[in-house]
């Protein structure tokens, strides 16, 4: 970790705190905000993110990816997703990236990512990378999808605070790789870890259900799905994979 983390016993949301801190002054890139408990944890699409106190990694990581154009902003998501799977791999967990924002183990969600970019004048001014990674939680009654944790998958029984420092190290490595011109290496590694790549899956585009095959993610972060005669690229809210798990 590049800087000492800002830690809170309880806070509304680490992403909300990151936004407040960014408004109140300059923070160095790579700062990590950590908490044991969030009273208003935020998930994707205005969902809440619920986590038992002290059981999981709840963190926000602030970076300034000035080297990325707004069109390429999904590259940061790729680097972050990969870093999380690198970290889980170091703990003997074979994790997959379920496009666009979930990390799965054994077909169950182990981690959610919420990246909030501050864009001004057509440029990314800052990115708040929110990560909720299940470490020691064993039951997930409030999750609308099948969920798991490092403890359930690999018996990891370590304080989340200690693991967060190691996760931040993996984030720094992938970020530096991206900043150093490694987008193609990241694209290849991302593809290798993409959930259900080249496997027929059921999707919905909001109008109908169909069988298709994930073939990759294009440069602007859209999911490429082969169905019928050809390959179509879908944006964030245009398609959802229907399966037993994930959001
Ligand atoms: C999702 O899968 O819906 C994304 C979940 C992101 C949750 C994390 S927990 C730390 C950070 N602070 C928040 O309020 N949300 C993110």
């Amino acid at each position: 970790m590049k800087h000492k983390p800002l830690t809170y016993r309880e806070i509304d949301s680490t992403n909300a705190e990151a936004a407040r801190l960014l408004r109140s002054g300059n923070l160095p890139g790579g700062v990590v905000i950590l908490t044991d408990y969030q009273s208003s944890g935020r998930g994707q699409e205005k969902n809440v993110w619920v986590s038992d106190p002290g059981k999981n990694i709840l963190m926000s990581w602030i970076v300034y990816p000035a080297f990325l154009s707004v069109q390429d902003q999904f590259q940061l998501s790729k680097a972050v997703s990969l870093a999380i799977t690198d970290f889980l791999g170091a703990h003997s967990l074979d994790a997959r990236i379920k496009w666009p924002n979930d990390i799965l183990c054994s077909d169950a969600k182990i981690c959610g990512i919420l990246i909030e970019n501050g864009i001004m004048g057509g440029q990314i001014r800052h990115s708040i990378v929110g990560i909720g990674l299940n470490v020691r939680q064993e039951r997930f009654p409030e999750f609308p999808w099948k969920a798991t944790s490092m403890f359930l998958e690999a018996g990891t029984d370590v304080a989340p605070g200690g693991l967060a420092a190691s996760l931040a190290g993996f984030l720094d490595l992938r970020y530096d790789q991206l900043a150093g011109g490694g987008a193609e290496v990241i694209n290849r590694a991302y593809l290798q870890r993409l959930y259900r790549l080249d496997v027929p899956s059921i999707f919905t585009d909001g109008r109908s259900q169909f069988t298709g095959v994930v073939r990759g993610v294009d440069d602007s972060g859209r999911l490429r799905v082969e169905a019928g005669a050809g390959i179509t690229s879908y944006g964030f809210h245009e398609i959802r994979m229907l399966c037993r798990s994930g959001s």
Side-chain angles (χ1 to χ4, degrees):
M1 191 154 14
K2 284 181 175 157
H3 307 280
K4 198 168 174 297
L6 305 171
T7 52
Y8 302 79
R9 272 190 58 190
E10 177 179 340
I11 201 160
D12 51 352
S13 147
T14 57
N15 270 32
E17 176 65 1
R20 285 190 292 266
L21 291 171
L22 280 164
R23 276 196 297 274
S24 68
N26 279 335
L27 286 172
V31 160
V32 168
I33 298 163
L34 277 177
T35 193
D36 286 342
Y37 180 71
Q38 296 184 129
S39 51
S40 306
R42 306 206 304 230
Q44 290 286 337
E45 297 173 48
K46 302 204 165 75
N47 288 325
V48 290
W49 185 259
V50 184
S51 167
D52 287 355
K55 294 267 174 86
N56 303 316
I57 295 177
L58 302 168
M59 72 182 255
S60 296
W61 180 60
I62 297 173
V63 284
Y64 302 95
F67 56 88
L68 277 183
S69 66
V70 174
Q71 294 89 296
D72 289 339
Q73 57 185 289
F74 195 72
Q75 285 294 334
L76 179 64
S77 176
K78 286 185 178 176
V80 166
S81 301
L82 268 180
I84 296 167
T85 62
D86 292 339
F87 163 80
L88 290 169
H91 288 271
S92 313
L93 284 163
D94 182 23
R96 300 281 133 193
I97 301 163
K98 179 161 181 259
W99 179 91
N101 295 301
D102 294 342
I103 307 296
L104 309 190
C105 279
S106 327
D107 289 322
K109 182 161 169 171
I110 194 163
C111 178
I113 304 165
L114 177 65
I115 299 182
E116 296 178 295
N117 290 322
I119 294 172
M120 243 174 42
Q123 278 198 309
I124 306 178
R125 292 297 156 118
H126 64 251
S127 296
I128 300 171
V129 178
I131 298 172
L133 196 155
N134 301 330
V135 177
R136 292 204 284 203
Q137 191 160 327
E138 290 177 63
R139 277 180 294 278
F140 300 89
E142 316 215 34
F143 270 52
W145 47 77
K146 194 175 155 205
T148 191
S149 64
M150 293 177 72
F151 178 75
L152 291 175
E153 295 298 312
T156 310
D157 199 8
V158 180
L163 289 177
S166 149
L167 172 58
F170 284 99
L171 288 167
D172 287 336
L173 283 175
R174 286 293 182 183
Y175 185 82
D176 290 347
Q177 185 176 42
L178 184 61
E184 279 315 309
V185 183
I186 287 185
N187 284 344
R188 277 197 297 278
Y190 182 88
L191 208 57
Q192 278 172 8
R193 301 202 198 150
L194 196 54
Y195 183 61
R196 295 188 72 82
L197 180 72
D198 298 333
V199 180
S201 306
I202 315 277
F203 296 89
T204 175
D205 58 7
R207 290 183 299 276
S208 59
Q209 285 186 17
F210 61 95
T211 301
V213 181
V214 172
R215 294 298 189 199
V217 175
D218 73 14
D219 285 346
S220 49
R222 299 190 312 162
L223 189 69
R224 299 176 68 245
V225 178
E226 184 171 352
I231 297 182
T232 308
S233 293
Y234 294 91
F236 271 29
H237 303 297
E238 295 171 358
I239 192 167
R240 198 156 54 90
M241 190 187 281
L242 297 174
C243 47
R244 287 156 286 130
S245 54
S247 51

